Amino acid sequence: MLSLPRYRIESRKTKALLRSIIKYLIVIVVAVIPLIPVWIMYLWLIMQSFSPKVNLGIIPLGFTLNNWRFLWSPLKMGLKTYPNIWPITINTLLIALGVSGIVVLISTLGGYALSRMEFAGRTGMMKFIIALHAFPSVILLIALFIILNKLGLYGKGYVTLLGITLVKAGLEIPMASWIIKGFFDAIPWDVEWAALVDGCTRWRLWRSIVLPLVLPGIGAISIFSFLSGWSEFLLVFTYVKDEAYYTLPVLIYHMIGEYKMVDWGLLAALGLFFTIPTIIFFSTSQKLLLRIYVGGVKG
Amino acid sequence: MVKVVLKEVSKYFGKVRAVDNLNLEIKDGEFVALLGPSGCGKTTTLLMIAGIYKPTKGRIYFDNEDITDLPPKDRNIGMVFQSYALYPHMTVYNNIAFPLKLKKTPKHVIHEKVVKVARLLRIDNLLDRKPSQLSGGQQQRVALARALVKEPDVLLLDEPLSNLDAKLRIYMRAELKRLQKELKVTTIYVTHDQVEAMSMADRIAVMNQGKLQQYAEPNILYDKPANIFVAGFIGNPPMNFIEGSIMEVNGEYYFDSGVFKLKIHRSLGEMISSKTEEAILGFRPEHIKLVTTKAPNAIKGIVYVVEPLGRDMVVNIKVNDTIIKALASPEIQLTPGQQIYIILDERKIHFFNKSTGEAIV
């Protein structure tokens, strides 16, 4: 190879350089360009919410906090006054925390059983979980209504929200169990056996050895289920009739839905307010979430 | 320290018989190796003794007490796994202290014991680290410390040296043996490495396909293998085997391989032919004498390949279609293709029944 003439090596170098430039260009076209509209949307949201008027959607003309007035005064839309934002935020938070609490508790137990224990119908159950996920909750609305009604979990303020939390958690648990099962699978049997030999009971083993090793997984499913509870719209929209028990997504819907005159500035501010938990979670737990695809134990 | 007895123990996984009717007695303070190729059921046996697997049939006793149905935590055993199985989220100190914490040992006693065992294994400078910050050899010592800290009645070791590099393995071999003799703890050691088993164990249980092949002291396994499997498994390079039949001509006995005839002693010939006609001749590479000139009762062959090992060399000799391995001193000059004669020491040859594989002599 060393005996190649100098000019040929030069031309190969140029070719290699060209090739890598083309590679980068392809990456830019495929990955960066599709992101531009998304960034523009976010920019629009921010500009719109802090400025009385904008040009071309994203160039602000002046600064105002008027659009954020809902934080300290009742929310008025046309002739109608909606409840204060804070109780509604708390409603949303209750559902989100409730969902993630229930999901974490049940999925970590269920996922462990799916991963580690032999029982009749285990494989069938796992297939069924995936199948379950194919059905949207819309088709369950009527059946769920009847069930909630019979259980006395409908039309009674916070009790209704509890009912919704249970339903939402129920819908989230299968997938969360499936995700956390992957984390349990990644723990070698040896580690569990070692703990049993060291003197653990099965419960102690689960608590002291297994759970700490799937913490990234628990983090992931709690964030996912929290956000899914936070942004739940359909169930609240269908089952909650009393405005005092609205949640943020439903409130935002009403901001658009009821009048022809839409206050875009207010809507943008509400939208940003709604995304705050999402932004907090993703910026603090990015590494955790990425590990879902990398998997559990690191030796 | 206890005596461990396995009585007619079997373990089936579905239709697979991982362990089949195993009888084994391990004396108090003895170091026993379970030796066999992978998948022979040795680890399954160990896990049954640990209480992680339940035997399908049979009972296990510690000092005449039936512990078959006891969970692992009530057996007072220490175990080291091939992967070490350290708890990744705990420091070395907490890893070692964990068994004691579960026993609700007072804190100052835990501290004393952890430091003591860490000193014994020379890991006392690593107590604050996490397992991921340790080298393989250090992890192995931590695993051993964790197994020893609770002063177990039985120490179970599942291929503890196989993940170490060659040099460390040889060092740890002696270290482990010394430790075991010092602590006098009944030890069961699973390995597929016959050198490890031979060099460390008081007795070796050779297993194959779930069945116990032979259970004896290392030198007996080597000198008097019970069957062709043990003969071929113990020793490196392995024993040479040649199939043939025993024939009698004019009151003299010969082993006839079809290619050569080997004259054997009358009493030996009578003994073999009383049991079988088809026999397998076995002899170890180190019991072969090589000569370059024709000699009586020598087998003629051609030098095929010579593998020098430094201290000695392995000579591969082609006798018709079979390759025979012989150990020779490196002083002999041999070139491939050269004619050579093999002389066997009749006191050190083995005969096996061809149909059953059992040793005759």
Side-chain angles (χ1 to χ4, degrees):
Chain A
M1 286 304 272
L2 283 170
S3 58
L4 271 179
R6 185 97 196 127
Y7 68 90
R8 280 182 63 187
I9 293 177
E10 284 300 323
S11 83
R12 280 180 187 199
K13 272 188 188 168
T14 328
K15 264 185 204 161
L17 187 72
L18 253 164
R19 227 174 275 143
S20 64
I21 289 173
I22 290 168
K23 247 186 255 167
Y24 276 108
L25 280 178
I26 291 171
V27 168
I28 288 170
V29 170
V30 172
V32 178
I33 291 178
L35 278 178
I36 291 175
V38 177
W39 283 112
I40 289 179
M41 283 194 284
Y42 279 104
L43 200 64
W44 179 90
L45 213 56
I46 293 164
M47 293 310 167
Q48 194 77 276
S49 78
F50 285 110
S51 136
K53 216 175 166 228
V54 286
N55 254 355
L56 296 169
I58 51 173
I59 301 159
L61 303 166
F63 175 82
T64 175
L65 284 175
N66 188 38
N67 291 327
W68 291 85
R69 64 188 180 277
F70 61 85
L71 291 178
W72 53 84
S73 61
L75 195 56
K76 273 186 192 152
M77 191 72 185
L79 298 173
K80 205 164 173 189
T81 308
Y82 284 92
N84 189 290
I85 190 87
W86 295 109
I88 287 183
T89 309
I90 287 172
N91 291 344
T92 320
L93 207 60
L94 281 178
I95 290 188
L97 288 175
V99 169
S100 81
I102 297 170
V103 167
V104 166
L105 190 74
I106 296 182
S107 305
T108 43
L109 288 166
Y112 182 72
L114 283 177
S115 165
R116 290 302 207 225
M117 293 174 183
E118 295 279 336
F119 51 88
R122 177 169 162 268
T123 335
M125 196 171 185
M126 309 233 284
K127 283 179 192 155
F128 187 60
I129 286 175
I130 290 290
L132 262 186
H133 218 67
F135 297 96
S137 54
V138 191
I139 58 169
L140 299 172
L141 278 180
I142 294 175
L144 283 174
F145 174 75
I146 294 168
I147 293 169
L148 288 176
N149 213 356
K150 290 260 183 224
L151 290 174
L153 293 172
Y154 172 75
K156 290 174 191 154
Y158 281 113
V159 177
T160 314
L161 291 187
L162 172 68
I164 290 168
T165 308
L166 289 175
V167 169
K168 189 64 191 163
L171 292 170
E172 289 294 314
I173 283 168
M175 205 55 200
S177 306
W178 186 269
I179 291 174
I180 200 88
K181 176 193 170 286
F183 281 84
F184 286 123
D185 285 346
I187 300 176
W189 272 109
D190 282 6
V191 173
E192 283 195 43
W193 288 340
L196 286 177
V197 168
D198 279 348
C200 283
T201 57
R202 201 85 201 234
W203 269 106
R204 181 69 199 256
L205 154 73
W206 186 75
R207 196 160 53 84
S208 301
I209 305 294
V210 174
L211 273 196
L213 294 181
V214 295
L215 269 185
I218 292 175
I221 60 169
S222 60
I223 288 167
F224 276 143
S225 51
F226 179 90
L227 291 178
S228 130
W230 180 258
S231 57
E232 176 54 32
F233 170 74
L234 194 64
L235 294 171
V236 184
F237 181 68
T238 319
Y239 298 140
V240 176
K241 292 297 154 222
D242 188 341
E243 282 157 10
Y245 302 104
Y246 274 180
T247 60
L248 286 172
V250 176
L251 187 76
I252 292 173
Y253 167 81
H254 283 288
M255 294 296 106
I256 314 170
E258 279 180 23
Y259 302 93
K260 281 179 188 164
M261 277 282 291
V262 176
D263 184 346
W264 290 112
L266 175 70
L267 199 62
L270 261 177
L272 270 184
F273 181 74
F274 178 65
T275 56
I276 288 172
T278 321
I279 292 166
I280 292 174
F281 268 135
F282 276 95
S283 55
T284 53
S285 59
Q286 235 177 3
K287 269 189 195 159
L288 209 67
L289 290 177
L290 282 176
R291 277 226 247 155
I292 293 181
Y293 304 102
V294 184
V297 185
K298 232 186 83 189
Chain B
M1 316 302 119
V2 300
K3 178 178 85 175
V4 179
V5 177
L6 280 78
K7 256 192 196 143
E8 290 161 14
V9 170
S10 298
K11 178 72 185 173
Y12 307 152
F13 294 105
K15 279 182 185 161
V16 183
R17 297 187 168 203
V19 175
D20 199 4
N21 198 23
L22 179 66
N23 285 292
L24 208 61
E25 187 183 316
I26 295 135
K27 286 183 227 149
D28 184 355
E30 196 175 21
F31 193 138
V32 165
L34 296 180
L35 176 66
S38 48
C40 75
K42 53 194 194 301
T43 299
T44 309
T45 307
L46 201 71
L47 291 174
M48 283 194 287
I49 297 171
I52 283 158
Y53 287 163
K54 210 164 233 175
T56 315
K57 282 183 202 155
R59 313 301 293 175
I60 301 171
Y61 302 87
F62 283 5
D63 266 352
N64 305 322
E65 192 189 340
D66 187 343
I67 51 105
T68 318
D69 298 318
L70 281 187
K73 72 182 179 71
D74 298 328
R75 297 187 179 200
N76 196 27
I77 39 178
M79 186 158 177
V80 177
F81 291 85
Q82 184 174 6
S83 64
Y84 312 136
L86 299 175
Y87 310 127
H89 59 296
M90 293 185 193
T91 59
V92 169
Y93 182 93
N94 284 330
N95 261 283
I96 301 173
F98 191 63
L100 299 177
K101 276 186 195 156
L102 292 172
K103 277 189 184 173
K104 306 220 163 27
T105 316
K107 261 204 171 135
H108 65 278
V109 181
I110 293 185
H111 184 77
E112 244 168 58
K113 288 192 173 179
V114 170
V115 170
K116 194 179 147 205
V117 77
R119 271 210 198 108
L120 181 72
L121 291 163
R122 280 174 239 137
I123 46 171
D124 44 335
N125 54 332
L126 306 171
L127 290 175
D128 298 330
R129 298 216 198 150
K130 286 276 179 74
S132 56
Q133 296 166 297
L134 302 179
S135 71
Q138 290 167 334
Q139 289 187 22
Q140 201 251 2
R141 280 153 187 273
V142 175
L144 196 59
R146 188 179 64 185
L148 289 174
V149 77
K150 58 185 203 181
E151 290 154 18
D153 290 333
V154 184
L155 182 62
L156 305 175
L157 307 168
D158 185 5
E159 310 234 6
L161 304 184
S162 62
N163 285 350
L164 302 181
D165 62 67
K167 212 172 159 186
L168 195 57
R169 203 180 312 158
I170 291 169
Y171 171 73
M172 280 308 290
R173 224 154 64 189
E175 200 79 336
L176 260 181
K177 190 173 180 175
R178 180 191 64 82
L179 203 65
Q180 196 268 339
K181 291 292 165 239
E182 205 174 293
L183 302 172
K184 296 189 180 66
V185 52
T186 312
T187 303
I188 303 169
Y189 186 100
V190 161
T191 180
H192 66 268
D193 183 344
Q194 47 113 1
V195 181
E196 259 174 38
M198 295 286 280
S199 60
M200 293 164 78
D202 298 325
R203 278 198 288 173
I204 300 173
V206 183
M207 292 180 74
N208 189 32
Q209 295 180 336
K211 290 201 174 83
L212 183 66
Q213 305 292 319
Q214 192 173 4
Y215 183 37
E217 282 81 26
N219 59 329
I220 293 179
L221 285 184
Y222 184 79
D223 293 334
K224 292 198 176 345
N227 57 38
I228 202 157
F229 176 81
V230 177
F233 199 75
I234 304 279
N236 186 27
M239 190 183 272
N240 297 296
F241 296 111
I242 293 169
E243 291 181 13
S245 53
I246 300 295
M247 51 187 275
E248 189 201 339
V249 183
N250 301 332
E252 294 202 316
Y253 283 88
Y254 293 91
F255 173 80
D256 184 6
S257 80
V259 180
F260 62 85
K261 279 194 185 102
L262 187 76
K263 193 180 159 197
I264 52 175
H265 199 268
R266 191 189 168 84
S267 57
L268 187 64
E270 275 173 353
M271 193 158 90
I272 301 164
S273 52
S274 70
K275 286 184 181 155
T276 179
E277 268 185 21
E278 302 286 295
I280 295 173
L281 166 70
F283 50 94
R284 296 204 178 273
E286 51 271 46
H287 298 149
I288 292 174
K289 204 175 141 197
L290 296 177
V291 287
T292 45
T293 49
K294 202 169 160 93
N297 211 22
I299 302 164
K300 192 170 91 177
I302 288 163
V303 176
Y304 185 64
V305 181
V306 178
E307 307 166 49
L309 300 174
R311 190 180 44 197
D312 37 29
M313 62 182 182
V314 180
V315 187
N316 293 260
I317 301 154
K318 211 167 172 181
V319 177
N320 207 24
D321 283 336
T322 3
I323 301 277
I324 286 170
K325 284 182 186 281
L327 271 183
S329 102
E331 277 114 53
I332 317 173
Q333 289 295 321
L334 293 172
T335 45
Q338 184 185 344
Q339 222 169 59
I340 201 157
Y341 294 89
I342 298 168
I343 298 173
L344 300 177
D345 181 348
E346 199 172 312
R347 287 163 304 173
K348 290 194 167 156
I349 59 177
H350 304 263
F351 283 99
F352 302 93
N353 188 323
K354 195 182 166 189
S355 49
T356 62
E358 298 295 318
I360 301 166
V361 199

